[in-house]
Amino acid sequence: MTSHDATAPLRPQTLAWVSRHLEAGERVVRTEPLHGGVTADVRRLTIAARDGGTRDLVLRSYVDPFYLRDAESALNREAAALTLLPGTGVPAPALVAADPTAAHCAYPSLLMTRLEGRTVLDDAGIPTRLPLLARHLVAVHALRPTERPPEYVALSTPDTAVIPQHADRAVWSAAADAIRTPRPPYQGRFLHRDFQPGNILFDSATALTPSARITGVIDWAGASWGPSDLDVAHCSTVLALLHGPTWGLRFPDAYESAGGTLAPTRAQRRYWQVRDALAASEEVGIISRVWREAGRSELTERAVGERLHAYVVALMGAVG
């Protein structure tokens, strides 16, 4: 998590850069931190016009030294994705401007439109939201950009997994061995790389009802080219930690029911599922903190760790 004070005023050079990309007579009148992000400082900017009307933009800036090293690549990926998405049917913000190298801003930054809606982390309504998530992920994977984004990168390794306290170490050892095997062959797709409930906006009025509607897919900084299984596995892991292992296990079936294509064998699918689950083990503390700050006070680090262990056990118990 960044230690930057997101409530501090915009740096003068950043404000000047934003102002250059506004309509004539518009000005920034308010900034508000948007919570839930991990790698970047995200702010809602209220823009006032001469006629008294207002609109909102969103500013993403990389300020933490740990994440600055990847800021240029991440912002270039997001800018390219937001340029691709208009007219595709995938609801996403529109790009206003990007400064990936901080040539004009205090920090590497991207300015985009703000979408209506809110993220929904509640357990209530998840049976309705699951197929919606699946259908939108299928739509993402159906995109065929003229220029492919960079190949996906998996930073975690079998040896970097953090075994939860009181977990069955034999199961985790077997899981680590499962991803030491050669990577399964795959047909490349356009990937979001962080498609999960925290990056999905729902219509606020219907979010917990059978008529729930997705209004936006956000945070495209990881846009990549790779196997659809990787995105599906990531969303499955987050669903397992947020709502319980059963929901993580159900998501691949929902994805296929929505028309998506996964690896042909259970063993190949499990490779990607286990890889993402072990990667999540390195961030259980961060993940649980973000969710508690969003109102899920029961999701302590221990509780999330226990769910992760149960999910890994379930994956390893699947018939190979």
Side-chain angles (χ1 to χ4, degrees), residues 123-316:
D123 288 335
I126 183 60
T128 295
R129 296 195 301 277
L130 196 77
L132 288 178
L133 292 172
R135 287 201 295 272
H136 278 72
L137 187 52
V138 169
V140 170
H141 292 165
L143 296 172
R144 295 293 180 267
T146 303
E147 183 176 345
R148 290 183 181 180
E151 193 79 7
Y152 82 92
V153 176
L155 298 178
S156 60
T157 71
D159 300 314
T160 57
V162 179
I163 302 175
Q165 191 175 14
H166 307 306
D168 185 333
R169 290 183 172 271
V171 171
W172 281 73
S173 177
D177 288 343
I179 62 172
R180 287 192 173 95
T181 60
R183 181 185 69 183
Y186 64 86
Q187 181 178 4
R189 302 284 188 215
F190 185 88
L191 305 181
H192 182 281
R193 276 302 265 137
D194 194 15
F195 188 96
Q196 45 90 4
N199 286 328
I200 307 299
L201 302 178
F202 285 86
D203 174 43
S204 298
T206 64
L208 300 178
T209 71
S211 57
R213 181 174 65 89
I214 289 177
T215 60
V217 181
I218 60 175
D219 193 355
W220 294 83
S224 308
W225 191 259
S228 55
D229 283 84
L230 195 56
D231 264 356
V232 173
H234 182 63
C235 191
S236 296
T237 298
V238 176
L239 288 167
L241 303 188
L242 181 60
H243 301 299
T246 297
W247 294 106
L249 296 170
R250 289 183 182 180
F251 187 67
D253 289 339
Y255 176 81
E256 286 192 301
S257 295
T261 302
L262 295 173
T265 71
R266 187 179 295 275
Q268 290 175 337
R269 297 180 187 191
R270 187 172 65 177
Y271 173 91
W272 300 109
Q273 292 170 319
V274 170
R275 173 171 283 284
D276 193 85
L278 296 194
S281 74
E282 302 174 37
E283 299 184 331
V284 166
I286 294 175
I287 294 169
S288 60
R289 182 169 61 189
V290 168
W291 289 343
R292 290 196 304 275
E293 290 173 352
R296 294 294 303 272
S297 59
E298 79 281 10
L299 294 181
T300 63
E301 184 171 349
R302 174 165 183 157
V304 173
E306 289 174 348
R307 286 185 172 183
L308 177 60
H309 176 57
Y311 181 57
V312 170
V313 168
L315 291 176
M316 296 308 297

Side-chain angles (χ1 to χ4, degrees), residues 17-22 57-60 75 78-79 82-83 94-100 104-105 108-113:
W17 176 78
V18 169
S19 298
R20 288 198 294 273
H21 294 284
L22 301 181
L57 297 176
V58 173
L59 177 70
R60 180 199 298 279
L75 291 177
E78 184 155 29
L82 297 187
T83 301
L95 177 68
V96 176
D99 183 16
H104 308 285
C105 300
S109 300
L110 182 143
L111 187 64
M112 64 192 116
T113 59

